[in-house]
Amino acid sequence: MENPEHDPERTAVPDQEPPVSCFHPSTKTHRFIGLVLMCFLCFGSYFCYDTPGALADNFKSDSHLNTSQFALLYSIYSWPNVVLCFIGGYLVDRCFGVRLGTIIYMTIVFIGAVVFAFGVYINAYWLMILGRFIFGIGGESLQVAVNNYVVVWFNGKELNMVFGLQLSISRFGSTVNFWVMESIYRWVAKYYAGYERLGVALFIASLTCLGSLICALFLGWMDLRAEKALRQQAAQVKQDQPFQLKDVLKFKPVFWLLAVICVAYYLAIFPFIALGKLFFERKFDFVPQDANTVNSMVYFLSAALSPFFGILIDKTGRNVTWIMLSIVTTLGSHFLLAFTFVNPYVGVISLGISYSLLASGLWPLVAMVVPESQMGTAYGICQAVQNLGLAVTIILAGMIVDNYGYFMLELFFLGCLFVSLIAAVLIYILDSASEGTLNLSPSARESLLKTRVSTDETANLLDHADSSDQEETDSGLPNSNMASSSAGESGEGAGGGARDSALAQSDRIRSRYISHLLPTTNIPERP
Amino acid sequence: MQLNTLIVIVLLSGTITVAQERKISSKVNPGCKTCTNDTILMYVRCDGASDTIHQIWDFTRSIPTVIFAVTKLKSSLDIVWDGNNPTGFYMSETPLYSFATALDKIYEYNDLKDNGHFDPNLPHHIHNLDHMMWHVKEISTTEKEAMVRVYGTLNNDRSEEHGTVAIKLDLIPFKDYAVELPHLIHTANSTQFDVSLVNLTSTPGYNASRFALHLLLVSTDSATETMRYTMRKSLDDEHTPGVFEVIEIKTPALHNYAIGGYLQFRPVGYVQAERGVASSTIAHVSYFNRTSLPVRSTMKTFYDEFGRANLLVQDMMVSFGEGGDGYYAQHNYTAWSFAVGYGSPPTDSFSWYVVLIISGGLLLPVLLAVSGMVYVLVRRHRQRYNSRAMFANED
């Protein structure tokens, strides 16, 4: 809704310049190629992120790193990003723009990967740390920039599915890394020895980042071409209202509630996986290998299911309902793990499913509540607070386990989930109170978008209503009418037809009104 | 519903605590005039409401031993000494029940399978503790605690170096969790037995050395009976983080008549003096074997005086470690604790902390739902009032 230029243009532009080939920016094929490039764009950084993990034993034997030195390879990546990805996102909005931003961040990632590999090759620990640090600067900001790309290209279309796919790719990148790095290392070991073979293996791994960089360049070119053809006006608008850092304070409350979910919900997932292996061994008497399998279930499921849940949410809309549903099922999963001895596969699988559902529904919402010109900063903030939460909680969770045990840790996770559930309910209330689109079906969103311009006049006429309560309900009439009528009937003309029938209209207004007051009751929208 | 159950459990455990309190009095080497500083026999008398538990903690004949004898109230125990050794235990009346446990041997075995389990087929070497010299490190004989800490050096026959075996026996006469991990429950009816093996040297040729403890279990039950092993699993590992099991070894009397002796412990050992989840390892318990009392031991003296021919004597092994942990040599340290007690073994209950959190977790959503409903009702009421006011205005 914040970028109403999309749809009118999609219909307007072909009039001027009909799509002659499938590579024309307005076609589905073009978007599909863009999608593939975006996926490969992330692949490199996720692949290289986990190279130390995949070669952990070799790092200990070849480079003689101890456990805390090894752990620093990971924490040097995450800690700076508590601040840096916020700045990275802001820079995308303010200075670079999404194209240049992506290319710059990808270059930084590539340089970081190469420096890290070189540090290992000459066995200089400080250089390894520097490499991981540079890699981290680029990595998370790159994710913010790619999120931006996704929103610009897919908002109002396959947005949820693409976010799901992005999540899949990130998990897939780590998984592929765990599959292939060991064989690459063994192959390199035929020609090199000691820490050199590890260094060379990492140089080979950094080639994936080079590949991603090429994707970034190509995508940049495609986006430039598409903008020239389709989004000229949009670019104009963007330059008219430059985004100031203090505008962050003007973000809607719904955005901050989303940020709360970003932190609180993910706290109950990632630290759980980090500490899960021992939990399954100790509580459920799993042998280490089986414990690993259960533990990896969450990532595996999210990689497999996210795109499909994305499609589901694209088709059904109602993101907030889906989010609430997935938080409730996550609560159930953690409850099973904490309070029963039921086979942990049950809990973990439902955890994985709920997590994928939430991730597919949550991230696209940010795009719906923040104007496009502030998208980078918004995603940057979400990622930053999430990183902060995770960094703090992984330490905190370790302390809880050491002093109070896994049972207490599970209670802590349940607490986090309650917080995120409350945030989700508040989003639902705020959104329906302010006639938001977050929890509408896609067709309702679309028709709302189309009719908003025409209803503005009607709304102006109604602005004279006196009491504030009255004003709220009155000015809500036209919009809610559009929403519920088009949700009920699929055709675009349906909104107009329903408006003619005074009786039907008042019925729907009433049902919509009651649903505002009782957010949890499901008023059937079909008349 | 669940909350109610919890409260009931907490209240019940509270009343049991009161009922189980005992008045303790302890003496070191009672009646011995010729004992030296390194003679250690602690006698702890625990007077309860209906019976008295006499505990003898003995190191005089080198084998660390804990003997429990339960009598009616107002009975007494006299010990006859010969130099540094007790030669007779005379009770004013025959005990109702008695049981004992002793750590008589330490096994060193070459864990070729690397799984921590002791297997008699593995190459092993037995350190008999019946020649150990024990030295007192700390002793406490107050009304609130009876405690003794001793250490002895264990010489390896084939090497010059020697390591230390340290033992702590502790009785605190009320129900609570021990301060130190694994936070076993202590009661007025039980004594905590801590043993640590520090810097023991491996037998040359053993590349995978681990040490296991050989325990004797003795009770005045029929010799044809057997000790019972039970493992309970709890949801709550807040007292011993990362350990969900409690193991109990019950004497036949306890198993059959709900009153007897027990050993209670968690299947966890520690490989560093700083105990924590990271320094924990698995403790494995073997099956019981029938055996006889060591010829030169305080238990032999005690039970001979006792005059009961029918005595159940069994042994068991406790070994430590898990695959890939680098064996004993990784940290040169292994520690383990168990509680030995009389009556029914204490059970875990949720702490107030957990009860508070769970009830908060359950109450908060209810509270939210109620306040949401109130909000809706108030709003609806205001709405109606407003619209009525508007109609009135229109009129």
Side-chain angles (χ1 to χ4, degrees), chain A residues 48-251:
Chain A
C48 286
Y49 172 74
D50 265 327
T51 43
L55 296 172
D57 294 338
N58 311 96
F59 267 92
K60 284 179 184 166
S61 59
D62 290 353
S63 303
H64 303 292
L65 298 189
N66 61 34
T67 309
S68 58
Q69 280 177 322
F70 182 78
L72 189 60
L73 291 181
Y74 275 95
S75 51
I76 196 72
Y77 177 96
S78 31
W79 273 105
N81 277 309
V82 168
V83 183
L84 286 177
C85 57
F86 165 64
I87 298 174
Y90 178 68
L91 288 177
V92 166
D93 287 341
R94 193 81 180 89
C95 310
F96 302 148
V98 64
R99 280 189 295 275
L100 190 59
T102 309
I103 293 168
I104 289 174
Y105 297 144
M106 195 58 235
T107 314
I108 295 174
V109 167
F110 176 56
I111 292 172
V114 171
V115 170
F116 176 60
F118 188 66
V120 175
Y121 184 73
I122 62 168
N123 201 24
Y125 183 64
W126 68 269
L127 200 59
M128 296 181 210
I129 291 297
L130 181 71
R132 287 294 283 188
F133 179 69
I134 299 173
F135 185 74
I137 293 176
E140 292 288 289
S141 304
L142 176 74
Q143 191 53 47
V144 173
V146 172
N147 281 350
N148 239 10
Y149 250 132
V150 169
V151 174
V152 172
W153 279 55
F154 296 97
N155 202 2
K157 296 174 196 75
E158 304 90 358
L159 187 62
N160 297 286
M161 188 271 279
V162 176
F163 266 108
L165 201 62
Q166 287 285 333
L167 185 69
S168 284
I169 290 297
S170 67
R171 300 285 158 255
F172 184 65
S174 312
T175 315
V176 169
N177 177 56
F178 275 91
W179 287 340
V180 303
M181 276 322 284
E182 195 63 46
S183 6
I184 291 179
Y185 176 82
R186 274 202 298 271
W187 179 72
V188 172
K190 286 183 198 164
Y191 308 98
Y192 296 88
Y195 46 77
E196 286 185 0
R197 65 185 157 192
L198 192 58
V200 172
L202 290 174
F203 274 124
I204 294 173
S206 69
L207 288 181
T208 56
C209 287
L210 185 64
S212 293
L213 183 57
I214 293 168
C215 288
L217 290 168
F218 195 66
L219 187 66
W221 171 75
M222 278 176 71
D223 189 61
L224 187 70
R225 193 163 152 266
E227 186 175 290
K228 276 189 184 147
L230 304 173
R231 289 202 299 267
Q232 245 159 7
Q233 292 168 332
Q236 215 87 47
V237 172
K238 216 186 275 181
Q239 276 161 14
D240 289 346
Q241 329 162 315
F243 171 57
Q244 301 291 321
L245 196 55
K246 64 173 187 290
D247 289 349
V248 165
L249 299 172
K250 292 179 196 156
F251 277 154

Side-chain angles (χ1 to χ4, degrees), chain B residues 20-21 26 38 60 67 109 139-140 150 154-155 164 293 326 336 356 360 373 377:
Chain B
Q20 284 183 341
E21 264 176 19
S26 45
D38 281 331
T60 54
I67 301 173
Y109 62 104
I139 211 156
S140 162
V150 299
L154 189 69
N155 296 309
T164 307
L293 290 175
W336 182 58
L356 207 73
M373 255 144 74
L377 287 175

Side-chain angles (χ1 to χ4, degrees), chain A residues 278-279 281-285 288 335-341 398 400-409 411-412 418-419 421-422 429 433 466-470 472-473 513-514 516-519, chain B residues 2 181 183 231 233-245 268 276-278 280-282 322 350-351 353-354 357-358 361-362 364-365 368 372-373 375-376 379-380 382-383 386-387 390:
Chain A
L278 263 183
F279 175 65
E281 286 179 28
R282 295 286 175 88
K283 182 168 176 183
F284 298 101
D285 298 325
F335 189 86
L336 274 184
L337 291 166
F339 291 96
T340 68
F341 285 107
I400 293 176
V401 167
D402 282 349
N403 296 313
Y404 304 103
Y406 287 99
F407 183 69
M408 225 33 146
L409 184 69
L411 292 185
F412 170 73
F418 271 120
V419 170
L421 184 61
I422 291 167
I429 294 171
D466 38 10
S467 101
S468 66
D469 266 330
Q470 202 59 32
E472 200 180 310
T473 41
Y513 176 65
I514 291 168
H516 281 181
L517 288 177
L518 301 166
Chain B
Q2 196 178 11
L181 276 173
H183 302 305
M231 191 189 75
K233 239 180 157 170
S234 70
L235 296 168
D236 183 4
D237 65 332
E238 62 172 316
H239 302 294
T240 315
V243 184
F244 292 87
E245 298 92 356
V268 62
V277 174
S280 66
T281 190
I282 301 172
E322 45 199 315
F350 286 118
S351 67
Y353 202 43
V354 168
I357 292 175
I358 294 176
L362 293 176
L364 202 71
L368 268 175
M373 255 144 74
Y375 172 76
V376 166
R379 228 186 113 137
R380 203 181 274 177
R382 249 175 58 190
Q383 204 79 46
N386 279 343
S387 54
M390 228 171 68

Side-chain angles (χ1 to χ4, degrees), chain B residues 96-145:
Chain B
L96 304 166
Y97 190 72
S98 174
F99 63 96
T101 185
L103 171 65
D104 69 331
K105 288 168 195 159
I106 293 175
Y107 279 59
E108 180 191 357
Y109 62 104
N110 201 20
D111 190 8
L112 298 171
K113 293 182 196 158
D114 192 14
N115 59 13
H117 286 278
F118 171 76
D119 180 342
N121 298 323
L122 290 169
H124 61 272
H125 174 75
I126 302 170
H127 297 276
N128 249 314
L129 297 191
D130 55 9
H131 297 296
M132 286 276 278
M133 283 297 292
W134 297 99
H135 309 282
V136 180
K137 207 167 187 185
E138 197 184 344
I139 211 156
S140 162
T141 53
T142 64
E143 282 182 1
K144 289 174 183 159
E145 186 179 18

Side-chain angles (χ1 to χ4, degrees), chain A residues 11 27 34 45 52 61 63 107 124 140 178 243 281 301 306 328 341 350 376 378 380 390 421 442 453 461 477 505:
Chain A
T11 47
T27 58
S45 82
S61 59
S63 303
T107 314
E140 292 288 289
F178 275 91
F243 171 57
E281 286 179 28
L301 281 170
S306 296
V328 169
F341 285 107
S350 69
L390 290 179
L421 184 61
V453 184
L461 292 174
L477 296 185
Q505 183 181 347

